[in-house]
Amino acid sequence: MYILEAKKVQKEFGNKFNKQEVLKGIDLQIEEGEFVSIMGPSGSGKTTLLNCLSSIDKVTRGSVMINGENLVKMREKQLANFRKKYLGFIFQEYHLLDSLTVKENILLPLSIYKTSKKEAERKFQILATELGIYSIKDKYPYEISGGQKQRTAAARAFIHEPKIIFADEPTGALDSKSASDLLNQISKLNQKRNATIMLVTHDAVAASFSSRVIFIKDGKIYSQLNKGDETRKQFYQAIVKTQAVLGGVQNGD
Protein backbone atom coordinates (compact mmCIF):
# COMPACT_ATOMS: atom_id res chain seq x y z
CA MET A 1 0.00 0.00 0.00
CA TYR A 2 1.20 3.48 -0.88
CA ILE A 3 1.20 5.81 2.10
CA LEU A 4 1.84 8.71 -0.29
CA GLU A 5 0.85 8.96 -3.93
CA ALA A 6 1.32 12.07 -6.05
CA LYS A 7 -0.08 12.31 -9.57
CA LYS A 8 0.87 14.89 -12.20
CA VAL A 9 1.89 17.44 -9.56
CA GLN A 10 2.58 20.86 -11.01
CA LYS A 11 3.61 24.00 -9.19
CA GLU A 12 3.78 27.46 -10.70
CA PHE A 13 4.77 30.76 -9.18
CA GLY A 14 3.99 34.26 -10.40
CA ASN A 15 1.12 35.36 -12.64
CA LYS A 16 0.05 34.83 -16.24
CA PHE A 17 2.42 37.59 -17.38
CA ASN A 18 5.43 36.27 -15.48
CA LYS A 19 4.97 32.58 -14.75
CA GLN A 20 7.62 30.21 -13.43
CA GLU A 21 6.85 26.49 -13.60
CA VAL A 22 8.89 24.76 -10.88
CA LEU A 23 7.27 21.30 -10.83
CA LYS A 24 6.27 19.88 -14.21
CA GLY A 25 4.02 16.90 -13.68
CA ILE A 26 5.61 14.81 -10.92
CA ASP A 27 4.34 11.25 -10.39
CA LEU A 28 5.58 9.70 -7.14
CA GLN A 29 4.67 6.84 -4.82
CA ILE A 30 6.07 6.04 -1.39
CA GLU A 31 5.25 2.78 0.35
CA GLU A 32 4.59 2.47 4.07
CA GLY A 33 7.88 2.07 5.95
CA GLU A 34 10.06 3.40 3.11
CA PHE A 35 12.94 5.80 3.68
CA VAL A 36 13.17 7.89 0.51
CA SER A 37 15.58 10.71 -0.29
CA ILE A 38 14.92 13.44 -2.85
CA MET A 39 17.99 14.96 -4.51
CA GLY A 40 18.70 17.33 -7.38
CA PRO A 41 20.80 20.29 -8.47
CA SER A 42 20.19 23.72 -7.01
CA GLY A 43 16.94 25.06 -8.43
CA SER A 44 15.61 21.63 -9.43
CA GLY A 45 12.50 21.99 -7.26
CA LYS A 46 13.24 19.45 -4.51
CA THR A 47 12.22 21.69 -1.59
CA THR A 48 9.17 22.89 -3.51
CA LEU A 49 8.23 19.24 -4.03
CA LEU A 50 8.52 18.50 -0.31
CA ASN A 51 6.43 21.57 0.52
CA CYS A 52 3.71 20.53 -1.93
CA LEU A 53 3.63 16.89 -0.80
CA SER A 54 3.49 17.88 2.87
CA SER A 55 0.70 20.48 2.32
CA ILE A 56 2.94 23.38 3.39
CA ASP A 57 2.35 24.76 -0.10
CA LYS A 58 -0.58 24.20 -2.46
CA VAL A 59 -0.09 22.46 -5.81
CA THR A 60 -1.16 24.30 -8.95
CA ARG A 61 -2.45 21.11 -10.55
CA GLY A 62 -2.43 17.42 -9.71
CA SER A 63 -3.28 15.37 -6.63
CA VAL A 64 -1.48 14.38 -3.43
CA MET A 65 -2.86 11.41 -1.51
CA ILE A 66 -1.58 10.59 1.99
CA ASN A 67 -3.10 7.72 3.94
CA GLY A 68 -5.85 7.55 1.31
CA GLU A 69 -6.91 11.19 1.67
CA ASN A 70 -6.55 13.84 -1.04
CA LEU A 71 -4.79 16.86 0.47
CA VAL A 72 -5.58 19.02 -2.56
CA LYS A 73 -9.31 18.92 -1.81
CA MET A 74 -8.95 19.85 1.85
CA ARG A 75 -9.66 23.28 3.27
CA GLU A 76 -7.07 25.03 5.43
CA LYS A 77 -8.58 23.97 8.75
CA GLN A 78 -8.78 20.35 7.58
CA LEU A 79 -5.19 20.51 6.39
CA ALA A 80 -4.01 21.91 9.72
CA ASN A 81 -5.70 19.07 11.60
CA PHE A 82 -4.36 16.52 9.13
CA ARG A 83 -0.79 17.78 9.57
CA LYS A 84 -1.04 17.62 13.37
CA LYS A 85 -2.38 14.08 13.36
CA TYR A 86 -0.63 12.34 10.47
CA LEU A 87 2.54 14.27 9.57
CA GLY A 88 5.88 14.85 11.26
CA PHE A 89 8.45 17.48 10.29
CA ILE A 90 12.19 17.91 10.80
CA PHE A 91 13.66 21.17 9.50
CA GLN A 92 17.23 22.41 9.21
CA GLU A 93 16.63 25.16 11.78
CA TYR A 94 15.24 22.89 14.56
CA HIS A 95 12.23 25.15 15.39
CA LEU A 96 12.40 24.35 19.10
CA LEU A 97 10.79 26.61 21.69
CA ASP A 98 13.46 28.13 23.95
CA SER A 99 10.99 28.53 26.81
CA LEU A 100 10.39 24.77 26.97
CA THR A 101 12.73 21.98 28.07
CA VAL A 102 13.86 19.21 25.74
CA LYS A 103 11.16 16.95 27.17
CA GLU A 104 8.43 19.58 26.87
CA ASN A 105 9.40 20.29 23.25
CA ILE A 106 9.22 16.60 22.39
CA LEU A 107 5.84 16.12 24.05
CA LEU A 108 4.21 19.09 22.26
CA PRO A 109 2.53 17.01 19.48
CA LEU A 110 0.83 14.84 22.11
CA SER A 111 -0.85 17.88 23.64
CA ILE A 112 -3.58 17.76 20.97
CA TYR A 113 -4.44 14.16 21.81
CA LYS A 114 -6.10 12.82 24.92
CA THR A 115 -2.91 10.96 25.75
CA SER A 116 -2.64 10.05 29.41
CA LYS A 117 0.32 11.39 31.35
CA LYS A 118 1.52 7.83 31.95
CA GLU A 119 1.35 6.93 28.25
CA ALA A 120 3.05 10.17 27.21
CA GLU A 121 5.82 9.51 29.72
CA ARG A 122 6.26 5.97 28.39
CA LYS A 123 6.51 7.12 24.78
CA PHE A 124 8.90 9.90 25.70
CA GLN A 125 11.21 7.68 27.72
CA ILE A 126 11.51 5.06 24.97
CA LEU A 127 12.05 7.57 22.15
CA ALA A 128 14.43 9.89 24.04
CA THR A 129 16.50 6.87 25.07
CA GLU A 130 16.64 5.58 21.48
CA LEU A 131 17.84 9.00 20.31
CA GLY A 132 20.35 9.35 23.14
CA ILE A 133 18.85 12.51 24.65
CA TYR A 134 17.08 11.23 27.76
CA SER A 135 19.86 12.53 30.03
CA ILE A 136 19.32 16.12 28.80
CA LYS A 137 15.52 16.05 29.07
CA ASP A 138 15.39 18.90 31.61
CA LYS A 139 17.74 21.22 29.72
CA TYR A 140 16.61 24.07 27.50
CA PRO A 141 17.51 24.37 23.78
CA TYR A 142 20.05 27.14 24.42
CA GLU A 143 21.92 24.79 26.77
CA ILE A 144 22.50 21.96 24.29
CA SER A 145 24.50 21.37 21.09
CA GLY A 146 23.21 21.56 17.52
CA GLY A 147 23.24 17.79 17.21
CA GLN A 148 21.23 17.42 20.41
CA LYS A 149 18.77 20.07 19.21
CA GLN A 150 18.19 18.19 15.96
CA ARG A 151 17.73 14.87 17.76
CA THR A 152 15.17 16.65 19.97
CA ALA A 153 13.42 17.90 16.83
CA ALA A 154 13.50 14.34 15.43
CA ALA A 155 11.97 12.98 18.64
CA ARG A 156 9.21 15.59 18.41
CA ALA A 157 8.51 14.46 14.83
CA PHE A 158 8.31 10.77 15.79
CA ILE A 159 6.51 11.00 19.18
CA HIS A 160 2.93 10.89 17.87
CA GLU A 161 3.72 8.09 15.39
CA PRO A 162 2.77 10.01 12.22
CA LYS A 163 2.01 8.33 8.90
CA ILE A 164 4.97 10.05 7.25
CA ILE A 165 7.84 12.25 8.35
CA PHE A 166 9.15 15.01 6.06
CA ALA A 167 12.76 16.06 6.67
CA ASP A 168 14.14 19.12 4.84
CA GLU A 169 17.96 19.23 4.95
CA PRO A 170 18.01 18.12 8.61
CA THR A 171 21.81 17.79 8.64
CA GLY A 172 22.49 21.08 6.87
CA ALA A 173 23.54 22.95 10.02
CA LEU A 174 25.42 20.06 11.66
CA ASP A 175 29.06 18.99 11.65
CA SER A 176 29.82 15.63 10.03
CA LYS A 177 29.83 13.61 13.27
CA SER A 178 26.55 15.08 14.54
CA ALA A 179 25.01 14.56 11.10
CA SER A 180 26.12 10.93 10.99
CA ASP A 181 24.81 10.30 14.53
CA LEU A 182 21.41 11.80 13.64
CA LEU A 183 21.09 9.84 10.39
CA ASN A 184 22.06 6.60 12.12
CA GLN A 185 19.36 7.15 14.72
CA ILE A 186 16.71 8.10 12.14
CA SER A 187 17.61 5.04 10.07
CA LYS A 188 17.21 2.80 13.13
CA LEU A 189 13.83 4.36 13.92
CA ASN A 190 12.77 3.81 10.31
CA GLN A 191 13.56 0.10 10.60
CA LYS A 192 12.44 -0.49 14.18
CA ARG A 193 9.17 1.46 13.99
CA ASN A 194 8.45 0.96 10.27
CA ALA A 195 8.35 4.76 10.05
CA THR A 196 7.91 6.30 6.60
CA ILE A 197 10.42 9.06 5.91
CA MET A 198 10.92 11.47 3.02
CA LEU A 199 14.23 13.32 3.18
CA VAL A 200 15.26 16.23 0.96
CA THR A 201 19.02 16.61 0.89
CA HIS A 202 21.94 17.78 -1.24
CA ASP A 203 24.32 15.47 0.63
CA ALA A 204 25.12 12.04 -0.85
CA VAL A 205 26.22 10.77 2.57
CA ALA A 206 22.81 11.64 4.06
CA ALA A 207 20.97 10.09 1.09
CA SER A 208 22.97 6.86 1.44
CA PHE A 209 21.12 6.11 4.69
CA SER A 210 17.83 5.79 2.77
CA SER A 211 16.52 2.81 0.82
CA ARG A 212 15.68 4.75 -2.35
CA VAL A 213 16.87 8.00 -3.89
CA ILE A 214 14.79 9.97 -6.38
CA PHE A 215 16.67 12.55 -8.46
CA ILE A 216 14.80 15.48 -9.92
CA LYS A 217 16.03 17.97 -12.50
CA ASP A 218 14.22 20.95 -13.99
CA GLY A 219 11.02 20.07 -12.15
CA LYS A 220 10.83 16.47 -13.38
CA ILE A 221 11.95 13.09 -12.07
CA TYR A 222 15.27 12.35 -13.74
CA SER A 223 16.09 8.90 -12.31
CA GLN A 224 15.83 6.67 -9.24
CA LEU A 225 18.23 4.43 -7.35
CA ASN A 226 17.26 1.55 -5.07
CA LYS A 227 19.69 0.42 -2.40
CA GLY A 228 18.60 -3.23 -2.51
CA ASP A 229 21.35 -5.47 -1.14
CA GLU A 230 24.10 -2.89 -1.57
CA THR A 231 26.12 -1.70 1.40
CA ARG A 232 25.76 1.93 2.39
CA LYS A 233 29.20 2.62 0.92
CA GLN A 234 28.25 1.06 -2.42
CA PHE A 235 24.97 2.97 -2.45
CA TYR A 236 26.83 6.20 -1.65
CA GLN A 237 29.14 5.63 -4.63
CA ALA A 238 26.16 5.03 -6.94
CA ILE A 239 24.54 8.25 -5.70
CA VAL A 240 27.73 10.23 -6.34
CA LYS A 241 27.94 8.86 -9.91
CA THR A 242 24.36 9.96 -10.61
CA GLN A 243 25.11 13.38 -9.11
CA ALA A 244 28.03 13.73 -11.51
CA VAL A 245 25.76 13.01 -14.48
CA LEU A 246 23.30 15.60 -13.19
CA GLY A 247 26.05 18.16 -13.08
CA GLY A 248 26.59 18.24 -9.33
CA VAL A 249 24.23 18.89 -6.46
CA GLN A 250 24.67 21.99 -4.39
CA ASN A 251 23.06 23.23 -1.23
CA GLY A 252 19.84 25.11 -1.73
CA ASP A 253 16.97 24.68 -4.11
Side-chain angles (χ1 to χ4, degrees), residues 113-136:
Y113 298 102
K114 293 179 180 178
T115 307
S116 69
K117 190 174 180 180
K118 184 179 179 181
E119 178 64 8
E121 181 64 37
R122 184 189 71 81
K123 287 187 174 187
F124 165 76
Q125 189 169 341
I126 293 171
L127 190 54
T129 300
E130 287 176 334
L131 284 164
I133 52 176
Y134 186 76
S135 62
I136 60 165

Side-chain angles (χ1 to χ4, degrees), residues 79-177:
L79 277 174
N81 289 330
F82 187 87
R83 284 188 211 108
K84 289 175 186 175
K85 189 172 183 180
Y86 294 114
L87 309 184
F89 294 91
I90 309 173
F91 299 103
Q92 182 175 329
E93 298 301 324
Y94 320 128
H95 294 306
L96 301 177
L97 298 177
D98 281 334
S99 60
L100 301 181
T101 64
V102 164
K103 181 178 180 178
E104 289 166 342
N105 267 286
I106 293 171
L107 290 174
L108 265 180
L110 294 183
S111 63
I112 66 166
Y113 298 102
K114 293 179 180 178
T115 307
S116 69
K117 190 174 180 180
K118 184 179 179 181
E119 178 64 8
E121 181 64 37
R122 184 189 71 81
K123 287 187 174 187
F124 165 76
Q125 189 169 341
I126 293 171
L127 190 54
T129 300
E130 287 176 334
L131 284 164
I133 52 176
Y134 186 76
S135 62
I136 60 165
K137 61 185 175 68
D138 296 321
K139 291 192 175 183
Y140 289 88
Y142 56 83
E143 297 178 304
I144 61 178
S145 69
Q148 290 170 328
K149 287 178 184 177
Q150 197 58 295
R151 276 182 279 160
T152 299
R156 182 183 57 192
F158 277 93
I159 192 75
H160 63 298
E161 300 173 2
K163 292 296 181 181
I164 185 167
I165 290 171
F166 294 96
D168 189 6
E169 301 280 9
T171 61
L174 304 179
D175 60 68
S176 57
K177 184 183 183 306

Side-chain angles (χ1 to χ4, degrees), residues 18-237:
N18 184 23
K19 189 185 296 180
Q20 181 185 10
E21 192 178 16
V22 179
L23 301 178
K24 304 172 183 178
I26 297 277
D27 289 318
L28 174 66
Q29 296 85 32
I30 296 179
E31 291 186 5
E32 187 172 3
E34 261 200 295
F35 185 172
V36 178
S37 288
I38 307 292
M39 302 189 78
S42 180
S44 61
K46 55 187 183 292
T47 294
T48 300
L49 177 60
L50 179 141
N51 289 344
C52 286
L53 296 181
S54 64
S55 79
I56 290 175
D57 206 352
K58 290 185 177 180
V59 304
T60 304
R61 281 175 288 278
S63 67
V64 178
M65 304 285 291
I66 294 181
N67 199 40
E69 297 193 52
N70 192 345
L71 274 59
V72 175
K73 292 184 178 180
M74 290 185 187
R75 295 183 177 181
E76 197 55 49
K77 189 174 180 181
Q78 288 176 296
L79 277 174
N81 289 330
F82 187 87
R83 284 188 211 108
K84 289 175 186 175
K85 189 172 183 180
Y86 294 114
L87 309 184
F89 294 91
I90 309 173
F91 299 103
Q92 182 175 329
E93 298 301 324
Y94 320 128
H95 294 306
L96 301 177
L97 298 177
D98 281 334
S99 60
L100 301 181
T101 64
V102 164
K103 181 178 180 178
E104 289 166 342
N105 267 286
I106 293 171
L107 290 174
L108 265 180
L110 294 183
S111 63
I112 66 166
Y113 298 102
K114 293 179 180 178
T115 307
S116 69
K117 190 174 180 180
K118 184 179 179 181
E119 178 64 8
E121 181 64 37
R122 184 189 71 81
K123 287 187 174 187
F124 165 76
Q125 189 169 341
I126 293 171
L127 190 54
T129 300
E130 287 176 334
L131 284 164
I133 52 176
Y134 186 76
S135 62
I136 60 165
K137 61 185 175 68
D138 296 321
K139 291 192 175 183
Y140 289 88
Y142 56 83
E143 297 178 304
I144 61 178
S145 69
Q148 290 170 328
K149 287 178 184 177
Q150 197 58 295
R151 276 182 279 160
T152 299
R156 182 183 57 192
F158 277 93
I159 192 75
H160 63 298
E161 300 173 2
K163 292 296 181 181
I164 185 167
I165 290 171
F166 294 96
D168 189 6
E169 301 280 9
T171 61
L174 304 179
D175 60 68
S176 57
K177 184 183 183 306
S178 295
S180 182
D181 287 345
L182 175 71
L183 290 162
N184 265 312
Q185 297 296 346
I186 288 177
S187 181
K188 286 177 183 177
L189 288 171
N190 162 247
Q191 294 166 24
K192 186 174 181 180
R193 294 172 174 245
N194 198 38
T196 309
I197 301 168
M198 179 180 167
L199 167 73
V200 165
T201 183
H202 69 282
D203 183 5
V205 174
S208 70
F209 281 85
S210 58
S211 55
R212 177 163 60 118
V213 180
I214 298 170
F215 295 89
I216 66 172
K217 183 178 182 180
D218 299 326
K220 297 179 180 179
I221 291 180
Y222 174 81
S223 64
Q224 299 188 44
L225 289 176
N226 288 290
K227 185 176 182 181
D229 296 326
E230 291 184 318
T231 64
R232 194 167 67 78
K233 186 176 180 180
Q234 290 171 328
F235 195 40
Y236 165 77
Q237 290 169 342

